[in-house]
Amino acid sequence: MDMEYLDYHPLRRTLAGRFAIGIFVIGVILILIAFATPYWLESDPRIVGSKFEKLGLWTHCFRSLPDPYVQNLSRFYSGCRWIFDPFTTGYSELRGFLVPRKILIVV
């Protein structure tokens, strides 16, 4: 192609290029929504005996969730906590149950 032609007539995007830009924009918007929302799952208040109230990327709210690693059910988790809270006893072990390493590698 002639350089003078390119100066006056820039190349247009193909249909595949427009589609790729559209998918990219949608992906960025969905990622922003995912990081901005505090809870992804919320328990239905009509369900009696639910072990969790809210479950999100950064925080988890429990209602008497038994520790899965203690066999005699002597330890329970209750209330809302940040997933990386260093001050809650036993929460680091529970973190491995809630967020397995496979998921952390993907995220």
Side-chain angles (χ1 to χ4, degrees):
M1 281 193 174
D2 197 40
M3 284 304 285
E4 290 178 15
Y5 179 80
L6 288 177
D7 288 339
Y8 296 111
H9 303 288
L11 297 177
R12 297 177 59 183
R13 286 200 201 325
T14 63
L15 180 62
R18 290 180 188 163
F19 185 73
I21 289 173
I23 294 294
F24 174 75
V25 168
I26 290 171
V28 167
I29 290 171
L30 290 177
I31 288 173
L32 289 175
I33 290 172
F35 275 95
T37 55
Y39 303 111
W40 292 354
L41 292 174
E42 203 165 331
S43 179
D44 190 358
R46 298 175 291 179
I47 298 175
V48 178
S50 176
K51 299 298 181 193
F52 77 92
E53 292 179 29
K54 299 172 184 174
L55 200 59
L57 181 64
W58 308 113
T59 58
H60 302 306
C61 296
F62 300 114
R63 205 180 302 143
S64 297
L65 178 75
D67 191 346
Y69 301 114
V70 176
Q71 298 299 324
N72 61 359
L73 299 177
S74 61
R75 187 188 315 177
F76 292 89
Y77 297 97
S78 181
C80 292
R81 300 275 190 267
W82 182 49
I83 191 164
F84 297 111
D85 187 5
F87 302 111
T88 305
T89 306
Y91 206 74
S92 59
E93 292 88 22
L94 185 64
R95 185 182 324 131
F97 174 73
L98 294 173
V99 186
R101 297 237 182 247
K102 294 185 288 190
I103 295 175
L104 285 178
I105 291 171
V106 173
V107 173

